[in-house]
Amino acid sequence: MPGHCFGEVKMKFTIVFAGLVGIFLTPALANYNINVNSDNSGGSGQQSVSVNNEHKVANVDNNNGWDSWNSLWDYEYGFAVTRLFKKKSCIVHKMNKAVMPSFQALDTLVKEKKLQGKGLGKPSPKSLIYTVNPDKVNNLDQFGKSIIAMCKGIPTYMAEEIQEPSQILYIGKCFNIDIFWILNISFCGETVEN
């Protein structure tokens, strides 16, 4: 019967090992959420951010009545989408990794709750300006499952980033979103005009 005792020890070791793996792996796969009250584009509203480490997706919700929007950044596919509730549409764009915070940086800000308060005490937020193509996107598959889930059945448009010299052309024809104190994004063109 000595083999029987060895089997019990092996089984106990396996259970303990699996438990330890679960303890150390859970924080790496966890979702982090924070809520922040902030003043967004002249109106009051509340923003919240969720970070999903397993799928490398960040979700920012801005609740401000009819001017509410939701932005999803899919770091795995390299695309972001903003759903404009007032316009009943989605706008997809490539993520500018030189301007948008990395997944690790955003995840750290969320974990350390550094998105709360009146900013980080650092320079002004970075800005991105996009021109929105008036033609609807027919196939969302290229953007990944998260964006498909958010925009399926909703008119979706592709936006292209415009560089500094062209920005003056779009004043007054843009929908602006401020993501906490880290990023300002403007979507410009016919599909976002009031």
Side-chain angles (χ1 to χ4, degrees), residues 18-29:
L20 289 173
V21 167
I23 288 170
F24 291 113
L25 191 56
T26 298
L29 298 178

Side-chain angles (χ1 to χ4, degrees), residues 33-34 108-117:
N33 300 300
I34 65 168
T108 300
L109 289 172
V110 172
K111 286 178 192 173
E112 295 176 1
K113 299 188 186 306
K114 288 189 176 176
L115 294 176
Q116 297 179 351

Side-chain angles (χ1 to χ4, degrees), residues 20-162:
L20 289 173
V21 167
I23 288 170
F24 291 113
L25 191 56
T26 298
L29 298 178
N31 297 328
Y32 294 91
N33 300 300
I34 65 168
N35 292 313
V36 176
N37 289 322
S38 62
D39 184 14
N40 299 306
S41 300
S44 63
Q46 181 181 19
Q47 288 190 359
S48 62
V49 63
S50 305
V51 176
N52 182 311
N53 285 304
E54 182 178 359
H55 298 291
K56 298 282 189 253
V57 171
N59 188 20
V60 180
D61 288 309
N62 183 73
N63 298 310
N64 189 14
W66 195 233
D67 289 325
S68 295
W69 50 265
N70 176 260
S71 190
L72 184 138
W73 301 350
D74 190 327
Y75 286 87
E76 186 175 330
Y77 281 86
F79 286 99
V81 64
T82 299
R83 182 174 175 181
L84 307 173
F85 292 103
K86 185 176 187 176
K87 302 294 181 186
K88 299 178 184 173
S89 63
C90 287
I91 300 172
V92 179
H93 60 89
K94 288 184 181 178
M95 294 176 64
N96 180 333
K97 295 177 183 180
V99 177
M100 297 176 82
S102 70
F103 183 79
Q104 294 75 15
L106 185 62
D107 186 44
T108 300
L109 289 172
V110 172
K111 286 178 192 173
E112 295 176 1
K113 299 188 186 306
K114 288 189 176 176
L115 294 176
Q116 297 179 351
K118 293 290 181 191
L120 303 172
K122 293 185 179 177
S124 298
K126 295 179 180 180
S127 295
L128 292 169
I129 298 180
Y130 292 90
T131 182
V132 181
N133 185 331
D135 298 327
K136 291 180 186 173
V137 173
N138 295 320
N139 183 3
L140 296 175
D141 291 340
Q142 62 187 321
F143 306 121
K145 293 178 184 177
S146 297
I147 292 176
I148 293 170
M150 186 169 165
C151 297
K152 186 175 182 179
I154 297 170
T156 302
Y157 303 91
M158 189 71 189
E160 297 284 328
E161 185 177 354
I162 56 178

